[in-house]
Structure formats: structure tokens, C-alpha cells
Amino acid sequence: MRAHRVCAVAVTAATAGSVLAAGVAVAPAQAAPVTTTVTPAALGAALAAPKAPTVTAKGAFLMNAGTGATLYGKGADTRLPTGSTTKIMTAKVVLAAKGLDLNSKVTIQKAYSDYIVKNNASSARLIVGDKVTVRQLLYGMMLPSGCDAAYALADKFGTGRTRDARVKSFIGKMNATARSLGLKNTHFDSFDGGGGKGNYSTARDLTKLAVSAMKNTTFRAVVRTTSTKQRTLTRSGGHRDMAWTNTNPLLRSYKGTLGIKTGSGPNAKYCLVFAAQRGGKTLYGTLLASSSDVNRAKDAGRLLDHGFKR
């Protein structure tokens, strides 16, 4: 009877004694490949990559920060509104300021609270007349997503004789930083993401921005904080405790989360820039225009699970 030939996968191994390979005796002096039979089904299972998850967001991107490899993309280069994820750039510009003193005091102006009321914007609940440090403003901007805190920072770190001029120059610094990072599909027209059609980015660009921002130790410490209490100096010379909770749901629901920032709005829908680390692997990603706050968290979890399995 003729022997039937079987498809096989060769696995090379160093052998010290006699080896039986495909029914043939091999002399002890030889180091020969060991041949074993693998079924097509087993071979397919071994070689198949993890199935890409389905996400509700219009724009999505996931990358391995260590290798720079793209792990997932959906509309990754589509320009979309960014919502409060814009504040990542606001923080980056502040932290790059020459002669930065994180403990310098900023007096809260009525214009900041008026801006919140006029635009129905998210707030750190800063009180007019209070003296707040730059460090505290960063927490107030990045945790509860305070647009009043973002306004205060833009006013302090912009240049010009009037508040409008200072804010305009600060936004100019944001765009200049975007260009220096090679973010070709990103433009800002506000310090908090509340601008019009001129405030946009992509899932890929925001992920690159996040990787750059997280190189700063102060930024990393702020965005990974779940909640904090900050004591501020009041106008009368007393003290007030401000309690802030991070709007990033992954900090409480996904093990290994490092931070970054949520965003939302009528045009932006629900956005999330995120980062997580497990087993020595660090992943960064962005979701833009997700369908709900619940779905953006689920989408992020699916993407991270997918990335860590690869």
C-alpha cells in the first residue's frame, strides 16, 4: 500500500539523541528538524489575528506607543470636532511655557464665570476673586473639564494688552504646537473645544498629541488622578476646598488606565482620548463622535482588549 502524503509544519529543534522524523531514523550525530503534523483547522487558529472590534465612534485609532504600530483604525484621518479633548493641547502649551511656575497664583475673573453661563459649558466651579495656582487650574481643567479653568490659563499664558488679545495669542500657540508635532489635520479656534467649525482634529492626530503630552510628568500625574481636593485662597483671605472628580470612566473601570481626557458637545458627540498599560505594553487611542458616554467607554475597552491581545 502506498503511503499518503500529509501536509506538515516543520518545527526546528536541537536534538541530542536519535530523532524520529516523518518515520525516518536520524543518526545521533545529526541535528535535524522535527516534523509534526498539524491539521488545517489548528493551523488557521494559530495564525489568525484577533478579530477587530466594532465601535460606534465615527473616528477611532489605537496604537502601540512602544513600537508606533497601528493596531486599529476607523476613519482615523477624518476631521471631526474634538470637544474638550482640545484641553490636552491647552495643558501642553501651558506646561511648555518659559519660566513656568506651577505655584503662581491666578485671580479668578468674572469673565470666566460669565463664559460658563453664556455657553452652558462644563465648569470647575471657580469663584470670582479666588486665588488659584496654575497647578490647581490644570486639575480643574482636566478632571471636571472646567472651561472656566481653561479660560483662566489661556488668559494668563497668552500675550497682549487685552484679555481678547491674550486668548487669541494663546490659541495661536496651540496651533503652532500642532504644526510642530506634524498634526496636519488639526486646527484650534478655542482654548476649550467650544469653538465652531475651525476646531477639529482626527483620531490619529489626537493620539499623537496624547503621546507627546504624556511625556510631561505633571501632565501624567494630573490626568491619572481619579479625584482630588484643592484648597484655594478666597477674596477675603480665607480658604475654600474645591473637590473635583475625573470625568474619564476608564480610570474606574479599566485596569491599567493611565488617563487622558473626555470630550463632548452637540457637534462633537462623545469623545475620549485614552491610554493604558499592561504587561509592559502601553497603548494609546482616541474615539471621536461616539454615540453616547456609555458607548465611548465600551468602545475604548474593546479597543484596548483587542490591542493587548495582539
Side-chain angles (χ1 to χ4, degrees):
M1 181 183 297
R2 292 185 179 180
H4 293 283
R5 295 190 177 184
V6 181
C7 291
V9 175
V11 180
T12 302
T15 56
S18 297
V19 180
L20 189 64
V24 179
V26 180
Q30 293 178 300
V34 177
T35 304
T36 184
T37 301
V38 179
T39 65
L43 181 60
L47 298 179
K51 183 179 179 180
T54 299
V55 300
T56 64
K58 290 184 179 180
F61 186 74
L62 183 72
M63 69 175 288
N64 183 319
T67 64
T70 296
L71 304 178
Y72 182 90
K74 172 189 174 184
D77 298 308
T78 301
R79 294 179 176 181
L80 293 166
T82 60
S84 286
T85 62
T86 296
K87 293 166 184 167
I88 298 171
M89 181 61 87
T90 303
K92 182 172 176 60
V93 170
V94 169
L95 290 169
K98 186 176 181 180
L100 174 67
D101 179 2
L102 291 171
N103 296 315
S104 63
K105 297 285 199 306
V106 176
T107 301
I108 303 304
Q109 305 295 317
K110 186 175 182 295
Y112 311 157
S113 59
D114 288 347
Y115 177 86
I116 296 294
V117 174
K118 179 182 178 180
N119 296 282
N120 192 28
S122 53
S123 173
R125 300 186 181 280
L126 301 175
I127 307 299
V128 176
D130 279 5
K131 296 184 183 301
V132 185
T133 68
V134 170
R135 189 190 308 273
Q136 289 171 330
L137 288 172
L138 287 169
Y139 277 97
M141 177 175 70
M142 300 304 287
L143 270 65
S145 200
C147 296
D148 44 358
Y151 195 166
L153 289 169
D155 189 8
K156 178 175 177 58
F157 289 93
T159 56
R161 300 184 64 179
T162 67
R163 181 175 294 116
D164 286 346
R166 291 191 292 273
V167 169
K168 184 177 180 180
S169 74
F170 185 87
I171 296 170
K173 293 178 183 179
M174 294 169 68
N175 286 311
T177 303
R179 290 191 296 271
S180 71
L181 292 174
L183 309 183
K184 297 180 180 180
N185 290 306
T186 297
H187 187 267
F188 301 106
D189 66 2
S190 72
F191 49 77
D192 61 349
K197 293 182 179 180
N199 208 92
Y200 59 80
S201 188
T202 68
R204 189 190 306 272
D205 275 8
L206 282 180
T207 303
K208 290 180 179 179
L209 171 60
V211 171
S212 176
M214 289 286 273
K215 293 177 181 178
N216 183 282
T217 55
T218 298
F219 184 92
R220 289 177 68 91
V222 171
V223 298
R224 75 184 306 166
T225 301
T226 304
S227 61
T228 184
K229 283 188 177 180
Q230 300 285 334
R231 174 157 291 191
T232 65
L233 183 67
T234 65
R235 184 189 326 204
S236 61
H239 293 90
R240 187 193 324 278
D241 288 331
M242 306 294 289
W244 295 316
T245 300
N246 203 316
T247 58
N248 185 350
L250 297 185
L251 288 168
R252 293 173 287 276
S253 65
Y254 197 89
K255 184 179 179 181
T257 296
L258 301 176
I260 303 279
K261 187 72 185 72
T262 59
S264 61
N267 296 320
K269 304 301 180 185
Y270 296 89
C271 309
L272 180 60
V273 181
F274 54 91
Q277 186 176 62
R278 287 185 181 179
K281 182 187 293 185
T282 304
L283 307 183
Y284 282 77
T286 297
L287 294 161
L288 294 177
S290 190
S291 56
S292 71
D293 56 346
V294 173
N295 283 334
R296 72 180 169 189
K298 290 182 177 179
D299 285 350
R302 292 189 191 103
L303 286 182
L304 287 170
D305 285 345
H306 171 71
F308 284 124
K309 287 177 182 177
R310 293 199 42 177

